[in-house]
Amino acid sequence: MALRTPSRAPLLLMGLLTTGLAQLPLPASAPRGFWALPENLTVVEGAAAELRCGVSAPGSAVQWAKDGLLLGPDPRIPRFPRYHLEGDPSRGEFHLHIEACDLSDDAEYECQVGRSETGPELVSPRVILSILVPPKVLQLTPEAGSTVTWVAGQEYVVSCVSGDAKPAPDITFLQTLLLPPGGQTVSDTSANVNAGSQEKLFTTEATARVTPQSSDNGQLLVCEASSPALDTPIRVSVTMNVLFPPGPPVIEWPGLDEGHVRAGQSLELLCVARGGNPPATLQWLKNGQPMSTAWGTEHAEAVARSMLVMTVQPEDHGARLSCEAQNSVSTGIQERGVTLQVTFPPSAITILGSASQSENKNVSLSCITKSSRPRVLLRWWLGWRQLVPTEEMVMDGLHGGHISMSNLTFLVRREDNGLTLTCEAFSEAFTKETFKKSLTLNVKYPAQKLWIEGPPEGQRLRAGTRVRLVCLAIGGNPEPSLTWLKDSRTVTEPRPPQEPRRVQLGSLEKSGSTFSRELVLITGPSDNQAKFTCKAGQLSASTQLVVQFPPTNVTILANATALRPGDALNLTCISISSNPPVNLSWDKEGERLESVATPPRSAPFKGSAAARSVLLRLSSRDHGHRVTCQAHSPELRETMSAFYRLNVLYAPTIRALQDPTEVNIGGSVDIVCTVDANPILPEMFSWERLGEEEEDQSLEDMEKMSKGATGLLQIHHAKLAQAGAYQCIVDNGVAPPARGLVRLVVRFPPQVEHPTPLTKVAAAGDSTSSATLHCRARGVPNIIFTWTKNGVPLDLQDPRYTEHTYHQGGVHSSLLTIANVSAAQDYALFTCTATNTLGSDHTNIQLVSISRPDPPTGLKVVSMTPYSVGLEWKPGFDGGLPQRFQIRYEALETSGFLYVDILPPEATTFTLTGLQPSTRYRVWLLASNALGDSGVTDKGSQITITTPGLDKPSGEPDYQLPTEQPEGLPGLPLLPVLFAVGGLLLLSNISCVGGFLWRRRLRRLAEGISEKTEAGSEEDRVKNEYEDSQWTGDRDTRSSTVSTMDVEPYYHSMKNFSPQLPPTLEEVSYPRGFTHLEEEDMAFPGHLYDEVERLYAPTGAWGPLYDEVPMGPCDPCWPGEMYEDSRGVYDRVAGDLDPMEPDSLPFELRGHLV
């Protein structure tokens, strides 16, 4: 092919180096040249454009250049995706086609043909592709689519700016009613073309000056932009809201005579104002003052209407009604008005003067009208007869009217009475109305006759008789009032409705020309000789009554008020008034008394008075008696009485006092004290509680009340501490005060003394020994004891079991003796149950064998000095044998132990002396009996101490125990030395008769172990048994009984126990009272029934609280009736107790059991 010849190599190389042109094969014989040249072309942005290029150059490369930039021979023109070549290359068609033209395509183009073997390169003439860009938006100020409010006649500036466009658009302003185009062009406009946001783009800014008129209201102001790039112009607009003032208002008057109205007429006036934007605001004014601001508008017709509705009054005459119209753009107020001419009649007619006159005298009257327009005329009428006025006149009135007045004077006669006198006003302006004022003529003349009808004068009337008096009169004007008087005082009915109506005054009654008024009386003492008068004007009539009446009042006068036995009392009886006179007499409780008459006194109601006196010598028995005075009228056969109750003051006496007064614990009770006394005073009762201590006499938590002759001491939620004796004291001011004693017994359920959960009693179980179990309880009323062994009721019919029960006050004991104790049968748990009507309680007692003592517990330091230490502890179970205590101690810095025996053996406190200052010691406490010691392993029986130095204060005890050494022997305790010497002597005797004493001691241990009783001293026997277990553990350190506050077990040895009981009633005698007993001889530790057990009344004044509870002066003794054979108890229990020295049987073996 020709295209591949070497002669074409330079052209091909140039095309490949520049744009990679492709060679197109052409016939070698074809002539070179353009058969179709491109032409200038204009297209709108977004449209397609095609530049034609037809070439006759076979084998040559053809390409387009854009503003000198070669686009390349590739038909697809890769770098320009919207560009490509169209046509058939074989025919030489190389047309440049551009899709969706935009501003970047606006350039100069040329078609180039490359050099070939057949000829040089060819270049077409440059052509211009012009891209038209239409304006996209128009920006209107004010904002397009809005409504602008302008005032008519004022100039406004409107600007319109086009968006980017090519070429610059033309902008025109139009005023039109509707779009599309039409309307009037705004002439006063200017436009400026400015560069756009890009090269080759332009914007047009046009300004128009607009002066709107009222006719422009509602029209559109349009900004229209036209361009060759637009098929139709684009438009934006605003709606013109042109404000302009309304037209003048018009008042529509109903009828022909404008302004003429009548008072009372309802006037309706319509005010209309047309045009205006906004529509007019209407307002009605009366004499310049606003009346109505309500109006309505019709926007379609631009009409405003306001209706004024008013009722015309006379004062509206001459008033100017005006309607004002304006809106927001009005330069002034437009107004239309009308002046009212009001016609009104007189609102009232007044007659001055009195229409009441005595007969044959002149009456003068004046008739005056209120203001009227026009004036009115006046005339007088008496009945149907017209009277001639004496004078007439006219005066100026209110609201432009006139006042008419007419005076009249004429002579009245009796026959004119009751006729109507009329003043009439008339006028031609008020032909359909009549105005008049009338009075009734009242001619006065007196009554002709007056008299009274009633019982004849001098007739005797008994008090309480109903009497009718009638007053009558004939004629008279005004009607006679007929007034009743009694002794010149007007009679009226009693006002209080609860009082009996003794006077009934009737109303005035008329029958024809006769008038009457009735007075009905229930006669009384005040009516005697009274003058009753009836008056009618100047006329009067009178009558007098004679009334018989018993004494109006019988009064007794006394010469003294505070009376005491032995006083003389003078009583005077006075009959105030009676008709006829009465006879007076005296009696006392039906017994006739001698009396003396006194001189008579003046009496009211024109009656008679009487008086008699009597002298009495008084005694206390006369209190409350009635001394009566009787006033008897023989003629009336009536008797009136008055009595004087004797009030003799005397000292109180207690009549009733419930002793004893019982109450359950926690309950409520009243101690009632009833007396006989005069006077009975609210505060005459007082109460005292009898007790030794001040706190025992407190009456807190108790309420004192009194009701008349009864005094109450109210106790709520009774407590045991409130039991005891109380004294009721009554003092009414008359000596001497009365005193009464009463015991308050608080009943409570049993309270068994069980210091620990379990009590132990030791006894040999060899079937030869006996044991006694002691169960003690408190409770009121009396307690019944029952026993069980291991939960099974004990058969007391078994001869091995013997029970004895003791009662003293609120303390009760049961001793159960077990004979021939067997370890197999009797080492068991015994339960004692105490029961009364309020409840029950129980305790357990364990019967065990004899053993070594338990270690003592609770070892503690109670005082310390550099040379000594005070110790205290609690004894443990002694194992059933006498136990002793020994102290072992050592100084920790040195070796070796020191031992100190504690004497007496039953002591529970000891002061260890001979110590060194600032030294540490370890101290053990040992307990031992005949079977061995307790050992030192128990932690509760050892303690480590360090004595203080000499420079430190020491805590000395506030008491000195007998175990302390004397000051003169600081190195050796005196008592231990003495007891040591006695011990050596005793050991020497034992060494001589060891075997004999050993057997004898065992026998005594088996028979002599007993509970502690009150035989230690008389003072101990007086101690309150309720507190026995408490104070024996605290004060008598020789006893193995411990306090109820302890927590250690409670032990006793019981081998052949034989209690030492109180003597029987046959062995000791004692008085029933406490008259010979000093308070210091009594040792009551605060027993809750100690007040009951102590007697305060004289001997024999009280009986026992319970038959089985006797009370003695100091010894609480067991009554013989509590058991059938009192001596048998001692025969079996205490009879075998051998007399022993104190040292032969240690004290703790003689302690009693709980």
PDB file of all heavy atoms in Angstrom, residues 936-947:
ATOM      1  N   VAL A 936      -5.453 -25.930 141.055  1.00  0.00           N
ATOM      2  CA  VAL A 936      -5.106 -24.569 140.637  1.00  0.00           C
ATOM      3  C   VAL A 936      -5.234 -24.403 139.133  1.00  0.00           C
ATOM      4  O   VAL A 936      -4.701 -23.484 138.553  1.00  0.00           O
ATOM      5  CB  VAL A 936      -3.659 -24.224 141.078  1.00  0.00           C
ATOM      6  CG1 VAL A 936      -3.566 -24.184 142.574  1.00  0.00           C
ATOM      7  CG2 VAL A 936      -2.659 -25.211 140.489  1.00  0.00           C
ATOM      8  N   THR A 937      -5.926 -25.329 138.467  1.00  0.00           N
ATOM      9  CA  THR A 937      -5.995 -25.247 137.005  1.00  0.00           C
ATOM     10  C   THR A 937      -7.069 -24.280 136.528  1.00  0.00           C
ATOM     11  O   THR A 937      -7.040 -23.824 135.403  1.00  0.00           O
ATOM     12  CB  THR A 937      -6.273 -26.642 136.421  1.00  0.00           C
ATOM     13  OG1 THR A 937      -7.518 -27.120 136.960  1.00  0.00           O
ATOM     14  CG2 THR A 937      -5.147 -27.598 136.776  1.00  0.00           C
ATOM     15  N   ASP A 938      -8.045 -23.994 137.371  1.00  0.00           N
ATOM     16  CA  ASP A 938      -9.138 -23.127 136.923  1.00  0.00           C
ATOM     17  C   ASP A 938      -8.652 -21.696 136.769  1.00  0.00           C
ATOM     18  O   ASP A 938      -8.017 -21.135 137.670  1.00  0.00           O
ATOM     19  CB  ASP A 938     -10.298 -23.186 137.928  1.00  0.00           C
ATOM     20  CG  ASP A 938     -11.523 -22.505 137.396  1.00  0.00           C
ATOM     21  OD1 ASP A 938     -11.655 -21.291 137.629  1.00  0.00           O
ATOM     22  OD2 ASP A 938     -12.338 -23.199 136.749  1.00  0.00           O
ATOM     23  N   LYS A 939      -8.943 -21.096 135.609  1.00  0.00           N
ATOM     24  CA  LYS A 939      -8.486 -19.736 135.343  1.00  0.00           C
ATOM     25  C   LYS A 939      -9.165 -18.719 136.239  1.00  0.00           C
ATOM     26  O   LYS A 939      -8.627 -17.658 136.505  1.00  0.00           O
ATOM     27  CB  LYS A 939      -8.735 -19.374 133.886  1.00  0.00           C
ATOM     28  CG  LYS A 939      -7.904 -20.190 132.916  1.00  0.00           C
ATOM     29  CD  LYS A 939      -8.169 -19.737 131.483  1.00  0.00           C
ATOM     30  CE  LYS A 939      -7.312 -20.534 130.503  1.00  0.00           C
ATOM     31  NZ  LYS A 939      -7.542 -20.138 129.104  1.00  0.00           N
ATOM     32  N   GLY A 940     -10.375 -19.025 136.691  1.00  0.00           N
ATOM     33  CA  GLY A 940     -11.072 -18.066 137.539  1.00  0.00           C
ATOM     34  C   GLY A 940     -10.514 -17.984 138.939  1.00  0.00           C
ATOM     35  O   GLY A 940     -10.933 -17.146 139.724  1.00  0.00           O
ATOM     36  N   SER A 941      -9.543 -18.870 139.337  1.00  0.00           N
ATOM     37  CA  SER A 941      -8.998 -18.855 140.688  1.00  0.00           C
ATOM     38  C   SER A 941      -7.555 -18.393 140.707  1.00  0.00           C
ATOM     39  O   SER A 941      -6.853 -18.654 141.684  1.00  0.00           O
ATOM     40  CB  SER A 941      -9.117 -20.261 141.311  1.00  0.00           C
ATOM     41  OG  SER A 941      -8.399 -21.203 140.528  1.00  0.00           O
ATOM     42  N   GLN A 942      -7.048 -17.777 139.658  1.00  0.00           N
ATOM     43  CA  GLN A 942      -5.689 -17.232 139.653  1.00  0.00           C
ATOM     44  C   GLN A 942      -5.719 -15.880 138.966  1.00  0.00           C
ATOM     45  O   GLN A 942      -6.575 -15.607 138.131  1.00  0.00           O
ATOM     46  CB  GLN A 942      -4.715 -18.167 138.969  1.00  0.00           C
ATOM     47  CG  GLN A 942      -5.044 -18.436 137.496  1.00  0.00           C
ATOM     48  CD  GLN A 942      -3.981 -19.280 136.838  1.00  0.00           C
ATOM     49  OE1 GLN A 942      -2.813 -18.925 136.903  1.00  0.00           O
ATOM     50  NE2 GLN A 942      -4.375 -20.384 136.239  1.00  0.00           N
ATOM     51  N   ILE A 943      -4.685 -15.051 139.351  1.00  0.00           N
ATOM     52  CA  ILE A 943      -4.637 -13.694 138.831  1.00  0.00           C
ATOM     53  C   ILE A 943      -3.200 -13.218 138.901  1.00  0.00           C
ATOM     54  O   ILE A 943      -2.424 -13.656 139.769  1.00  0.00           O
ATOM     55  CB  ILE A 943      -5.576 -12.772 139.639  1.00  0.00           C
ATOM     56  CG1 ILE A 943      -5.746 -11.437 138.923  1.00  0.00           C
ATOM     57  CG2 ILE A 943      -5.086 -12.570 141.048  1.00  0.00           C
ATOM     58  CD1 ILE A 943      -6.800 -10.558 139.556  1.00  0.00           C
ATOM     59  N   THR A 944      -2.800 -12.370 137.999  1.00  0.00           N
ATOM     60  CA  THR A 944      -1.459 -11.784 137.981  1.00  0.00           C
ATOM     61  C   THR A 944      -1.593 -10.303 138.248  1.00  0.00           C
ATOM     62  O   THR A 944      -2.411  -9.621 137.616  1.00  0.00           O
ATOM     63  CB  THR A 944      -0.777 -12.024 136.638  1.00  0.00           C
ATOM     64  OG1 THR A 944      -0.687 -13.430 136.409  1.00  0.00           O
ATOM     65  CG2 THR A 944       0.619 -11.419 136.630  1.00  0.00           C
ATOM     66  N   ILE A 945      -0.769  -9.777 139.192  1.00  0.00           N
ATOM     67  CA  ILE A 945      -0.863  -8.371 139.585  1.00  0.00           C
ATOM     68  C   ILE A 945       0.535  -7.784 139.595  1.00  0.00           C
ATOM     69  O   ILE A 945       1.547  -8.505 139.661  1.00  0.00           O
ATOM     70  CB  ILE A 945      -1.509  -8.211 140.971  1.00  0.00           C
ATOM     71  CG1 ILE A 945      -0.661  -8.923 142.043  1.00  0.00           C
ATOM     72  CG2 ILE A 945      -2.927  -8.749 140.974  1.00  0.00           C
ATOM     73  CD1 ILE A 945      -1.126  -8.653 143.460  1.00  0.00           C
ATOM     74  N   THR A 946       0.592  -6.466 139.568  1.00  0.00           N
ATOM     75  CA  THR A 946       1.852  -5.718 139.723  1.00  0.00           C
ATOM     76  C   THR A 946       1.581  -4.602 140.707  1.00  0.00           C
ATOM     77  O   THR A 946       0.698  -3.762 140.492  1.00  0.00           O
ATOM     78  CB  THR A 946       2.314  -5.132 138.388  1.00  0.00           C
ATOM     79  OG1 THR A 946       2.511  -6.198 137.449  1.00  0.00           O
ATOM     80  CG2 THR A 946       3.619  -4.367 138.565  1.00  0.00           C
ATOM     81  N   THR A 947       2.290  -4.606 141.801  1.00  0.00           N
ATOM     82  CA  THR A 947       2.094  -3.577 142.832  1.00  0.00           C
ATOM     83  C   THR A 947       2.609  -2.248 142.324  1.00  0.00           C
ATOM     84  O   THR A 947       3.582  -2.202 141.569  1.00  0.00           O
ATOM     85  CB  THR A 947       2.803  -3.970 144.128  1.00  0.00           C
ATOM     86  OG1 THR A 947       4.200  -4.157 143.847  1.00  0.00           O
ATOM     87  CG2 THR A 947       2.220  -5.251 144.699  1.00  0.00           C
TER      88      THR A 947
END
